[in-house]
Amino acid sequence: MKLRCAVLDDYQGVALASADWSPLADRVDVRVLREHLTDRDALVAAVDDCEILVIMRERTPFDADLLARLPRLRLLVTSGLRNASVDVAAARARGIVVCGTASSSTPPTELTWALLLGLARHVRTEAQALRDGGPWQSTVGGDLAGRTLGLVGLGKIGSRVAAIGRAFGMDVAAWSPNLTEERTAAHGARLAKDKHDLLAGSDFVSLHLVLSDRTRGLVGEAELRAMRPSAYLVNTSRAGLVDGGALVRALREGWIAGAGLDVYDTEPLPADDPLRTLPNVLALPHLGYVTEGNYARYFGEAVEDIEAFLAGAPVRELS
């Protein structure tokens, strides 16, 4: 009998077209689930017959309890080589192999700038007015050249964002708990003396840290109040870096000028969430890694992971 494989959260319905799945055709039946299933019972009912699951980054958490409800599962493939929402130890204890794929940091870098530029030039307001027959020019855009870009985190993505900021003629400052002056200078930025100094002195603040117990809630009410009323916050990293309630208050009460967001505490974002309607928010539905090239990489290597597993020699195992 063929093994059964489900690809979860294929929102756009492109998983099977993004790679060549034919090498698996005689051994694996592959199906896709386009709708995100938040209800655990519904999710289990949809995939409990599967030996293989392919998941998209952290859209669906796989903790010990969920894994225990999937006794047939033998291989879990995630896009990317790190997925904090998968309990790898619990999977290993149940004999489930967890593998990943390569992932490019270029797409989230580009999306960060799409949001930042959109905020600076009031793209949402002006584009909507043009579509609706509204006023011809109603805003005055902000300049980037000569302004300060503050980066919280200067890793693979943050350093790329820094390079583009310099190309725009911006003064680039950076801070993170372990960032050194030497590393900062190597990326053409200057090291802020502390978090408050970075936030208070920046016209645009962009977050680029991994979410952990140490970084959760790193930007709260005090930090948002420290920012300039004319400053913008951009988050394409993880929603948990920011206190969500404080952010909504900051946007409503004008502590900051606006925010560009691609990540949320609950995804998909609930229909009644204020972030959907606040006029000073430019929000996207978590598109940071969603590009043709990355999807080809994700699903192409997912096929490779499955082939290697079937051959008894798994590759790109997560630890």
Side-chain angles (χ1 to χ4, degrees):
M1 289 180 59
K2 290 185 179 181
L3 298 180
R4 283 156 290 200
C5 171
V7 181
L8 274 59
D9 299 314
D10 183 17
Y11 294 151
Q12 299 93 347
V14 297
L16 299 185
S18 295
D20 179 9
W21 294 79
S22 64
L24 305 175
D26 61 343
R27 294 170 290 171
V28 182
D29 282 327
V30 182
R31 64 179 187 264
V32 300
L33 279 66
R34 294 195 58 180
E35 298 297 321
H36 178 71
L37 298 175
T38 56
D39 181 83
R40 284 289 181 96
D41 293 338
L43 176 60
V44 170
V47 302
D48 65 354
D49 64 328
C50 293
E51 292 85 7
I52 303 169
L53 294 178
V54 177
I55 65 175
M56 178 57 71
R57 300 193 65 83
E58 297 174 3
R59 291 176 183 171
T60 299
F62 276 78
D63 56 23
D65 290 339
L66 179 57
L67 292 168
R69 297 182 64 183
L70 300 171
R72 297 181 64 93
L73 184 61
R74 292 293 174 263
L75 173 65
L76 182 64
V77 178
T78 176
S79 57
L81 292 172
R82 179 177 58 200
N83 189 330
S85 71
V86 174
D87 189 333
V88 178
R92 187 182 299 113
R94 300 191 65 83
I96 301 168
V97 176
V98 182
C99 297
T101 73
S103 181
S104 173
S105 58
T106 299
T109 300
E110 295 171 349
L111 193 79
T112 295
W113 280 100
L115 288 171
L116 196 151
L117 288 164
L119 289 168
R121 301 302 293 268
H122 308 289
V123 167
R124 174 185 172 182
T125 299
E126 295 290 2
Q128 193 62 48
L130 188 65
R131 290 175 63 90
D132 295 343
W136 182 263
Q137 295 188 13
S138 63
T139 65
V140 178
D143 296 288
L144 298 187
R147 298 291 178 90
T148 298
L149 171 63
L151 301 176
V152 181
L154 199 62
K156 287 192 299 182
I157 297 175
S159 59
R160 288 175 178 267
V161 173
I164 297 169
R166 294 197 312 274
F168 276 117
M170 302 185 78
D171 169 36
V172 181
W175 173 89
S176 70
N178 298 314
L179 190 59
T180 65
E181 190 167 351
E182 181 181 22
R183 177 170 174 77
T184 310
H187 291 292
R190 57 180 176 83
L191 179 64
K193 66 179 182 180
D194 54 34
K195 178 172 59 172
H196 182 278
D197 179 63
L198 181 83
L199 296 172
S202 298
D203 299 291
F204 300 89
V205 175
S206 190
L207 308 181
H208 301 286
L209 290 176
V210 173
L211 182 62
S212 66
D213 291 340
R214 187 179 183 186
T215 61
R216 187 176 297 278
L218 190 72
V219 178
E221 179 173 341
E223 289 76 19
L224 290 165
R225 287 190 181 277
M227 292 176 63
R228 299 170 177 174
S230 59
Y232 294 95
L233 178 72
V234 176
N235 189 4
T236 58
S237 185
R238 289 293 182 269
L241 297 172
V242 182
D243 180 328
L247 177 59
V248 169
R249 292 196 303 275
L251 293 164
R252 282 176 169 163
E253 298 175 18
W255 307 352
I256 61 176
L261 305 173
D262 190 46
V263 288
Y264 311 94
D265 289 320
T266 300
E267 296 184 6
L269 191 64
D272 61 350
D273 194 292
L275 293 175
R276 286 183 177 267
T277 56
L278 284 169
N280 52 351
V281 173
L282 179 56
L284 295 173
H286 204 157
L287 296 174
Y289 285 90
V290 182
T291 66
E292 293 174 353
N294 243 5
Y295 269 34
R297 187 175 295 108
Y298 288 165
F299 294 115
E301 293 195 4
V303 172
E304 293 176 4
D305 288 349
I306 296 171
E307 285 190 286
F309 171 79
L310 295 176
V315 294
R316 291 185 285 266
E317 286 192 71
L318 273 60
S319 58

